[in-house]
Amino acid sequence: MKKNIRLIIIICVIAAVLAGAVFVLMKTAPQEEEQEDTTAEEVTTLLLYDKDPNDIAKLTIENEGGTYEVVRVGEGDDAKWTVMDIANLPLSGSVMTKLLDNSASLTAQQTVSEAPEDISIYGLDAPSATFTAEFSDSAKTVKKLLIGNLTPEETKRYVMLEGDPKVYTVFGTALNCFLQDKYALINKTVFSVQAASSVDDTTDYTRINKLTVSRADIDYDIVIEYDVRLDDENSMVANSSAYVMSEPVFRDLNPETSSTVTDGIFGLTASDLAVLNPNEEDIAASGLAEPAAEVTAEVNGGSSLHFKIGNEFINEEGKKDGRYVLVDGIDIIYIFSESSLPWLTVKPLDIVTTMYTSNYVYDLDRLNITCDGKEMNFSISGSSDDLAVTLNGAAIDGDAFKNLYQFILRAPSSELCFEDVSAEPSLTVNIVTRDGGGDLIEFIPDGNRRAVVRLNGRPEYICQQSYVDRFIKNLELFENGEEIVINW
């Protein structure tokens, strides 16, 4: 017992000594440096002035591109803002609005200096741009802003108001419009969707009634028209596009491949301006006197657009960088990227449906096939759950028939055909649907291992003769109860 008491006393003494040592070390250790306050200086915005843009009498802008004035012409509702030097050219309403709004009201992000001795360090001794806004208010207020260098973070610029010794920073997004020359005001969008005249105006201004493409590299026009069958509520139209090609052949359009050709008219925007107010020499030099292509669009509601596509534009690096374009009614030769001009290269087969028929198997009433004087007459009834098919009056397997019909739907189109042939068809497929519609497809050999496909009495396509040969052999396999061959 005494040994235990003695051990406890020794442990307590050792603990006391260690505690004292720790205390001494803490007192004698160097103090940690206080962490530097890296919190960014709080930015306080300051409204420098705020006026009504409608009270601007004149706006004068000076930058590296020169000096120009924005003035109001006309009276009342007919009044508009313009630049007299380019008043005959279409100006961008959105760019003009931004210019006026940003000059009528100005907000600083920070006050950099109350009264600097040397404003050159801010680029304000020779400013990148200035604007002077003269207002028609009772005080005849005038505000002149000097725009200097970018700040180090390059999101703002240093500015000074004339008569105010302070240097401020203002977001560059509010000032960039003053750094551009007057030509930046010209509208590069040559055709937009017309706005409805009132809430009662239900006109579909996004609908093209007729689109005509004439090109130097083909001897026919490509004509696309609105599919008027869609206006007949009783019409059964399988085409999922609102348009058909009426020339050089009549075909439904493939909505996936034709949308750029039809919808590309709206919002058509140039990448740059080549020549303002061009003369005949300018037009000829740009290849627009004998254009590579001409496009005419007649839009629902009465609007129309006609433009010519000329020579390739070669940039300063000697690289092809678009095409010259001249739009009727606008005295500008534009430069457009070729990607925005699908009409320059489109071919009919690129945009039409290449299926000879778009009738679904469950919509069929009869399918009659004639080959070498022999007839195969199919009768179809029922739906996907109870499809019933007979061949020349005898019941046959529905799945086998569906495979044969699928082979018909997969008929290839290698090119369009514009001329008929006098030879008799070697194979005829007559499709009759339950609503009384259908298609008549005739395959007529024309030599060179090709066959003309006459669709509903008109020559439409050229297909490979190998498909026709395989079709005829598949009919034999089908009659013998054998599986048909899908490839040819």
Side-chain angles (χ1 to χ4, degrees):
M1 183 69 177
K2 289 182 179 180
K3 289 182 179 180
N4 291 338
I5 294 174
R6 194 181 299 119
L7 180 58
I8 292 172
I9 293 172
I10 292 172
I11 291 172
C12 291
V13 170
I14 292 172
V17 171
L18 290 174
V22 171
F23 177 77
V24 172
L25 287 172
M26 292 180 62
K27 295 295 290 181
T28 58
Q31 295 292 320
E32 292 185 7
E33 294 182 4
E34 294 184 3
Q35 289 186 348
E36 183 179 353
D37 185 7
T38 58
T39 304
E41 180 180 354
E42 184 178 354
V43 176
T44 303
T45 59
L46 175 65
L47 181 64
L48 300 182
Y49 67 90
D50 188 20
K51 305 288 289 182
D52 187 345
N54 293 318
D55 288 340
I56 295 177
K58 184 171 69 173
L59 177 62
T60 304
I61 297 166
E62 183 178 358
N63 54 42
E64 293 180 353
T67 301
Y68 67 94
E69 294 180 350
V70 179
V71 296
R72 192 197 297 268
V73 295
E75 299 291 338
D77 294 338
D78 296 329
K80 65 176 184 178
W81 290 97
T82 190
V83 176
M84 297 307 297
D85 293 348
I86 51 176
N88 68 309
L89 303 177
L91 302 185
S92 169
S94 60
V95 176
M96 186 71 77
T97 297
K98 184 175 183 180
L99 199 69
L100 295 166
D101 288 347
N102 290 3
S103 59
S105 178
L106 189 68
T107 299
Q109 297 303 306
Q110 193 173 15
T111 303
V112 176
S113 176
E114 293 290 334
E117 294 182 1
D118 183 10
I119 62 173
S120 66
I121 62 176
Y122 305 108
L124 291 163
D125 58 326
S128 301
T130 66
F131 74 73
T132 303
E134 302 176 31
F135 294 89
S136 59
D137 56 0
S138 58
K140 301 299 180 184
T141 303
V142 176
K143 295 292 183 181
K144 182 175 182 178
L145 187 76
L146 284 64
I147 304 172
N149 294 340
L150 285 166
T151 58
E153 70 271 24
E154 298 187 347
T155 59
K156 308 180 189 71
R157 283 186 177 270
Y158 299 109
V159 302
M160 289 185 72
L161 273 171
E162 190 174 69
D164 184 347
K166 298 182 180 67
V167 174
Y168 305 97
T169 60
V170 173
F171 277 124
T173 51
L175 302 173
N176 290 337
C177 55
F178 304 110
L179 299 169
Q180 299 175 315
D181 60 30
K182 60 187 175 185
Y183 303 112
L185 290 170
I186 296 176
N187 195 355
K188 294 186 179 68
T189 299
V190 299
F191 196 77
S192 300
V193 177
Q194 181 178 334
S197 58
S198 68
V199 293
D200 298 324
D201 185 358
T202 59
T203 305
D204 180 6
Y205 294 106
T206 66
R207 191 184 92 189
I208 293 175
N209 289 334
K210 186 175 183 180
L211 176 69
T212 304
V213 179
S214 303
R215 286 218 308 271
D217 65 325
I218 52 178
D219 58 1
Y220 54 84
D221 288 347
I222 299 173
V223 180
I224 294 171
E225 298 186 60
Y226 172 70
D227 190 351
V228 294
R229 295 174 298 177
L230 298 175
D231 296 334
D232 181 0
E233 60 181 14
N234 297 318
S235 176
M236 298 292 291
V237 182
N239 183 25
S240 56
S241 171
Y243 300 99
V244 296
M245 184 171 69
S246 58
E247 294 182 30
V249 295
F250 184 91
R251 291 304 290 146
D252 291 339
L253 290 194
N254 181 335
E256 294 181 1
T257 59
S258 64
S259 60
T260 56
V261 175
T262 54
D263 300 346
I265 290 294
F266 302 106
L268 187 59
T269 301
S271 57
D272 207 347
L273 310 173
V275 184
L276 305 181
N277 302 307
N279 55 33
E280 291 185 4
E281 292 182 0
D282 297 322
I283 292 173
S286 302
L288 292 161
E290 297 180 1
E294 290 188 58
V295 180
T296 303
E298 301 171 16
V299 183
N300 198 34
S303 297
S304 63
L305 174 69
H306 176 259
F307 60 93
K308 300 176 182 178
I309 304 173
N311 293 343
E312 295 175 346
F313 167 68
I314 308 301
N315 63 22
E316 295 177 353
E317 299 176 354
K319 296 180 180 180
K320 183 175 69 174
D321 197 18
R323 289 272 185 164
Y324 295 108
V325 172
L326 183 63
V327 181
D328 278 12
I330 304 178
D331 289 331
I332 298 173
I333 295 178
Y334 294 96
I335 298 170
F336 279 81
S337 66
E338 288 197 355
S339 61
S340 67
L341 302 171
W343 314 277
L344 184 63
T345 56
V346 66
K347 295 291 182 66
L349 201 60
D350 298 336
I351 57 176
V352 299
T353 57
T354 54
M355 293 176 61
Y356 301 158
T357 183
S358 55
N359 294 297
Y360 300 117
V361 66
Y362 302 115
D363 294 331
L364 303 184
D365 180 63
R366 299 187 307 278
L367 175 68
N368 303 321
I369 300 176
T370 303
C371 177
D372 295 331
K374 181 179 181 180
E375 292 190 4
M376 299 177 68
N377 300 313
F378 297 88
S379 179
I380 305 96
S381 61
S383 60
S384 59
D385 297 327
D386 58 351
L387 184 68
V389 184
T390 64
L391 171 57
N392 297 330
I396 61 172
D397 180 63
D399 289 336
F401 173 78
K402 285 192 286 186
N403 287 339
L404 178 64
Y405 191 66
Q406 183 67 28
F407 181 81
I408 296 173
L409 293 178
R410 294 181 66 230
S413 304
S414 57
E415 59 184 282
L416 292 175
C417 179
F418 306 136
E419 295 182 4
D420 204 352
V421 291
S422 57
E424 292 296 318
S426 61
L427 179 67
T428 300
V429 179
N430 186 21
I431 299 170
V432 180
T433 58
R434 297 173 190 178
D435 63 359
D439 291 297
L440 176 64
I441 308 168
E442 299 171 278
F443 296 89
I444 308 162
D446 78 338
N448 300 317
R449 300 299 300 161
R450 307 188 319 167
V452 171
V453 179
R454 191 186 287 148
L455 184 61
N456 298 320
R458 295 179 55 176
E460 298 280 354
Y461 297 108
I462 299 292
C463 87
Q464 302 154 352
Q465 181 63 36
S466 59
Y467 170 80
V468 180
D469 295 341
R470 171 46 58 190
F471 196 154
I472 294 172
K473 291 178 181 179
N474 275 339
L475 293 177
E476 295 177 5
L477 293 173
F478 188 87
E479 280 191 302
N480 295 329
E482 301 177 54
E483 187 174 349
I484 67 170
V485 178
I486 296 298
N487 299 319
W488 58 88

